[in-house]
Amino acid sequence: MKNIKILSLLFVCLSIFLSACGGDDTPVPVTVKTVLMYLVGDNDISNDIYNNIASVERGLSEVTSPGTFVIYWDGGSRKGEFPVPTLFKYEVDGKGSVSKREVIKTYSSQNSVSNEVIINVLKDVEAYCPAEKYSLILGSHATGWLPVDHSKSRSFGDDRGAKIHIPDLSVALKQSGIHFDYILFDACLMSQVEVAYELRNAADYLILSPAEVMSAGFPYFKITKYLLSADNSEQNAINVAKDFIDYYKNEYSYSWGTIAVIKTNEISALANITCSIMKRYQDNLVKFDNRKIDYFQAHYGYGRSSLDHSAYDFRAFMRELTDNNIPSDFEEQLERVVIYKNYVDDYKLVNIDSDIYSGIGCYIPDTRYSKWNTYFRTLQWYSAAGWDETGW
């Protein structure tokens, strides 16, 4: 019995010693909020994406709640500073104190828009920076719901030509095991019903643009205090969107920007209402011939150039489909989904109709785009919204 007691005492002392030395099993303190900014910059806008890091650093001193801001950087133009993909962090105490940049982990050269890499990085963030709440910022090229097409579209991301389909991104986020209070897309054309429906279970809110985002991206020096706040996620998401518009309206050299905040737990109800309308007005789909769709592209289209005909204002489509008689239940549910929307278009990239702008786009199948149509049929929105019963 005496020997057992001695062995037990030795075991306890050894455990304390290993813990004090920072062994692998040392618990990592859990913070209130961890934000991951996932930057895929190994492409032609690498310098623009990189500038967001300095913008975040500028904004961290204004954060009023403690938390951790983590950045994953994979970019081709900064090989001297970041020769390989790097995960680093900043700690803030909410009182103006910001830690120096601390490298958490470096990775060998990898495809940062592959499912495996996204999952591994998210798991590393969860292991090294555990928190009560997580948020995600995704920054790179993007083309919304579209399929990965090396000649035209990127879907999301561009890592030396590699991209990821939105359904695959959704799977990666799910397999990471993390649910986010918001996902912010610092990328073009992401506010589409097809994208929002695929990602409805990944986050409570989505902050995204239905049209192109200028290369300067989001004004992180203004919005970081909202991004790291753990209280009132909905209002913080709206504040981010408001400051985005304010920046492009009053500070940026080109006054252009479109933005929306989407509440994901409301989008299934919107799909159900859309499905009932599609069934009721199915015969009206014949109106959307090439001539009508070209008109829509000119007046309500969000894509440009090679992305013409890929996305149109969702409310404009429903108005045309219902003979200018949008059902009130659709209007009410759309407001529950898109809880904030705005735009500034003094510098016009596409036409925005102030009377119809909904902040969210949709695809209208087009006989001239067979590849897009084939891929569209694989998306969850296709059947949820009733397109599968229309003959498309």
Side-chain angles (χ1 to χ4, degrees):
M1 180 66 70
K2 184 176 180 180
N3 289 338
I4 292 176
K5 287 182 178 180
I6 292 173
L7 288 173
S8 298
L9 181 60
L10 287 172
F11 177 78
V12 171
C13 292
L14 181 61
S15 298
I16 294 172
F17 174 77
L18 290 174
S19 177
C21 290
D24 292 340
D25 295 329
T26 302
V28 180
V30 177
T31 189
V32 177
K33 179 78 173 283
T34 290
V35 175
L36 169 63
M37 174 184 264
Y38 194 93
L39 300 178
V40 183
D42 207 346
N43 50 55
D44 61 341
I45 58 171
S46 182
N47 283 326
D48 297 305
I49 297 175
Y50 178 82
N51 289 337
N52 291 328
I53 298 174
S55 186
V56 166
E57 291 175 340
R58 181 179 165 190
L60 285 172
S61 62
E62 297 184 14
V63 174
T64 58
S65 56
T68 306
F69 202 103
V70 186
I71 298 178
Y72 172 81
W73 170 258
D74 182 5
S77 68
R78 299 287 170 171
K79 294 298 185 183
E81 186 176 5
F82 298 108
V84 293
T86 304
L87 190 69
F88 54 94
K89 71 173 182 176
Y90 307 87
E91 300 283 354
V92 296
D93 65 358
K95 301 176 182 178
S97 177
V98 182
S99 71
K100 292 182 179 180
R101 178 190 299 177
E102 178 185 344
V103 173
I104 301 172
K105 188 173 182 178
T106 57
Y107 305 83
S108 58
S109 180
Q110 58 187 6
N111 173 12
S112 292
V113 288
S114 71
N115 286 54
E116 180 182 3
V117 170
I118 292 172
I119 293 168
N120 287 341
V121 171
L122 288 172
K123 287 187 177 297
D124 284 339
V125 170
E126 188 177 34
Y128 290 106
C129 306
E132 297 172 12
K133 291 184 176 182
Y134 291 91
S135 297
L136 177 64
I137 301 165
L138 294 168
S140 191
H141 277 303
T143 54
W145 70 271
L146 286 171
V148 169
D149 182 338
H150 290 274
S151 65
K152 282 190 175 183
S153 64
R154 299 179 176 89
S155 208
F156 172 76
D158 187 342
D159 188 354
R160 287 182 293 179
K163 301 104 176 177
I164 187 170
H165 287 111
I166 299 305
D168 292 336
L169 175 62
S170 178
V171 169
L173 297 179
K174 179 180 179 180
Q175 291 180 349
S176 76
I178 301 175
H179 182 84
F180 302 96
D181 60 351
Y182 67 78
I183 299 174
L184 184 157
F185 279 95
D186 194 342
C188 299
L189 291 161
M190 296 307 290
S191 185
Q192 315 297 336
V193 286
E194 298 86 358
V195 173
Y197 197 77
E198 291 288 337
L199 297 176
R200 68 193 184 279
N201 297 317
D204 297 329
Y205 300 93
L206 304 174
I207 307 168
L208 17 64
S209 172
E212 289 179 65
V213 176
M214 288 288 187
S215 59
F218 280 67
Y220 294 101
F221 67 94
K222 295 168 65 78
I223 65 175
T224 299
K225 58 181 178 290
Y226 302 125
L227 298 175
L228 262 175
S229 176
D231 299 324
N232 199 342
S233 297
E234 182 168 310
Q235 188 58 53
N236 283 316
I238 292 172
N239 288 341
V240 167
K242 286 182 175 180
D243 274 3
F244 173 87
I245 292 297
D246 178 73
Y247 175 70
Y248 282 100
K249 184 177 182 178
N250 298 310
E251 299 181 48
Y252 193 66
S253 54
Y254 297 105
S255 186
W256 164 265
T258 60
I259 200 68
V261 178
I262 292 172
K263 191 172 185 177
T264 57
N265 67 2
E266 295 285 355
I267 199 165
S268 292
L270 182 65
N272 293 336
I273 294 171
T274 301
C275 186
S276 66
I277 294 172
M278 292 284 285
K279 291 177 181 178
R280 196 184 324 162
Y281 290 94
Q282 182 173 341
D283 292 343
N284 279 0
L285 287 174
V286 297
K287 294 193 299 183
F288 292 92
D289 57 14
N290 291 353
R291 183 177 178 181
K292 175 63 72 174
I293 291 180
D294 287 345
Y295 174 87
F296 258 61
Q297 172 60 39
H299 292 82
Y300 312 112
Y302 288 129
R304 294 192 304 147
S305 187
S306 63
L307 301 176
D308 280 359
H309 304 96
S310 65
Y312 314 88
D313 191 277
F314 187 36
R315 190 162 170 254
F317 167 64
M318 297 305 291
R319 181 176 66 178
E320 184 70 19
L321 181 67
T322 60
D323 296 321
N324 202 24
N325 187 31
I326 304 177
S328 59
D329 60 344
F330 175 86
E331 294 276 44
E332 292 165 1
Q333 189 58 34
L334 183 62
E335 288 188 4
R336 295 187 188 101
V337 171
V338 184
I339 59 174
Y340 178 84
K341 63 182 184 293
N342 207 341
Y343 69 92
V344 54
D345 66 341
D346 296 336
Y347 176 78
K348 290 188 180 297
L349 292 182
V350 297
N351 288 323
I352 303 293
D353 185 336
S354 60
D355 292 331
I356 201 68
Y357 176 72
S358 65
I360 191 168
C362 71
Y363 179 58
I364 304 172
D366 188 325
T367 56
R368 294 167 290 185
Y369 296 91
S370 58
K371 180 177 180 179
W372 287 1
N373 294 338
T374 298
Y375 179 72
F376 179 66
R377 295 185 188 101
T378 70
L379 300 176
Q380 295 182 50
W381 178 258
Y382 173 76
S383 56
W387 281 104
D388 58 337
E389 299 185 36
T390 67
W392 272 100

